[in-house]
Amino acid sequence: MTIAAEDEMPVGKRRSSLMRSPQFSSLVILIVLLAVFAIADANFLSPLNISNMMAFLPELGIIALGMTLLLTAGEFDLSVGAVFGLAPVVVMLLVQNGGVDIGVALLAGLLLCIAIGAINGLIVTKIGISSFLVTLSMLLVVRGAALYITQGFPLKSWDQPGFFVTLLAGSFNVGSFRFYTSLWWFIGLSLLAIYVLRYAKLGNWISAIGSNRNAAVARGVPADAVKVWLFILTSVLAGLAGMISAFRISAASPVAGTGYELEVIAMVVVGGTALTGGRGTILGTIVGALMLRAIRNGIVLIGVPGLAYNIFVGVIILAMLILHALLQKNAARG
């Protein structure tokens, strides 16, 4: 359905359509979870706890934005967690062992991410291998490279005051709450992604490719080029998130980001983006990111063992997938 068509819908139908949308159901579940955790432990909504949740949320959220666009096009990237760990490691090695300026090192790290994303995209589109297999292999290559060049030891990150530290890991207070500049990165990139996916021609191309690639190509959509650039974008966002994290905690670890690829995909799918492509929602991804961070934080506060986190996430993902499938069937009948 086009934006113009949505705008012409009666208000009642538009409201009914919104309430049946995947992102709305995700939002309702998020509100219920927040209420349950707030009742179970009064500290859940305290300024300190909210500040702690918001410190980490933008880093995974930034990766999830790229993954949303990629999933909407019918592909996904399992190497993002490894890229998250490798990019800051390369930056710190260039600075500490190579004497490279921090700005140049950051640029080199992003160029490496571009190369990784381009390799993923070209192999998937030109050779025709499944993105699952390609990016799973890239995960092993990238993670192995990070471990090899560091011999498995974490590096001390750049902690000298300066422009780049402020840009990536500066902090500010709003009353009793403490936030990091990564939150502004997340907000800005989210707004840009919403515009691209909902209003720009590129967003129509992405959805069309995910729905029916052959039909999209027949209409003149450069499907392969779009997919390659989406792989590059996802890899760059993963590297950027890794650098933000390394600057925030003043450490670059070769094993940083382990398991993030699955957590990010969970955020995106829980938010309402179709795993099979063709339907994506940035607002839903934001809700999904908030939901998973709230679960991770809340179960610890109420005394549930942290090792049980995956049980909660798995149950919620299954429930959301079932709910989204039922909503789609109801919409089709309507």
Side-chain angles (χ1 to χ4, degrees), residues 30-237:
L30 172 62
I31 293 172
V32 171
L33 283 172
L34 293 176
V36 169
F37 286 134
I39 293 171
D41 192 307
N43 292 321
F44 180 74
L45 294 180
S46 67
L48 177 60
N49 192 55
I50 292 177
S51 298
N52 288 336
M53 281 196 293
M54 296 306 294
F56 187 66
L57 170 71
E59 294 160 13
L60 278 179
I62 287 171
I63 309 174
L65 296 176
M67 191 71 78
T68 301
L69 298 177
L70 192 58
L71 272 173
T72 305
E75 307 289 352
F76 54 90
D77 189 347
L78 294 177
S79 67
V80 289
V83 173
F84 180 97
L86 177 65
V89 161
V90 169
V91 171
M92 289 306 108
L93 282 176
L94 288 173
V95 172
Q96 296 171 11
N97 297 350
V100 178
D101 178 76
I102 182 65
V104 176
L106 286 169
L107 178 60
L110 291 177
L111 289 174
L112 175 62
C113 296
I114 291 173
I116 294 171
I119 293 171
N120 284 336
L122 289 172
I123 294 176
V124 170
T125 58
K126 301 305 180 185
I127 301 180
I129 303 176
S130 163
S131 58
F132 174 84
L133 297 175
V134 172
T135 58
L136 177 61
S137 301
M138 186 60 74
L139 182 158
L140 298 173
V141 171
V142 173
R143 183 67 73 191
L147 289 167
Y148 178 75
I149 62 178
T150 61
Q151 296 299 299
F153 294 100
L155 303 173
K156 190 174 187 302
S157 183
W158 186 265
D159 58 358
Q160 299 180 21
F163 172 75
F164 292 107
V165 172
T166 302
L167 180 66
L168 296 176
S171 62
F172 59 96
N173 293 324
V174 178
S176 301
F177 299 91
R178 185 189 184 193
F179 301 112
Y180 288 88
T181 51
S182 56
L183 181 61
W184 294 118
W185 281 95
F186 183 44
I187 292 172
L189 290 169
S190 296
L191 293 174
L192 180 60
I194 289 171
Y195 171 78
V196 168
L197 193 56
R198 185 167 174 81
Y199 300 105
K201 180 189 290 186
L202 176 60
N204 291 330
W205 285 359
I206 292 171
S207 297
I209 293 168
S211 297
N212 190 326
R213 181 187 179 280
N214 292 333
V217 171
R219 294 192 175 201
V221 176
D224 287 353
V226 171
K227 284 189 177 183
V228 170
W229 281 108
L230 288 177
F231 274 107
I232 291 173
L233 174 64
T234 304
S235 185
V236 167
L237 291 179

Side-chain angles (χ1 to χ4, degrees), residues 232-285:
I232 291 173
L233 174 64
T234 304
S235 185
V236 167
L237 291 179
L240 173 64
M243 295 174 192
I244 289 173
S245 176
F247 275 65
R248 180 175 62 84
I249 65 176
S250 298
S253 172
V255 296
T258 300
Y260 282 8
E261 55 280 343
L262 298 181
E263 190 160 350
V264 166
I265 291 174
M267 290 176 176
V268 176
V269 173
V270 163
T273 295
L275 193 60
T276 52
R279 186 188 75 235
T281 163
I282 298 298
L283 290 177
T285 294

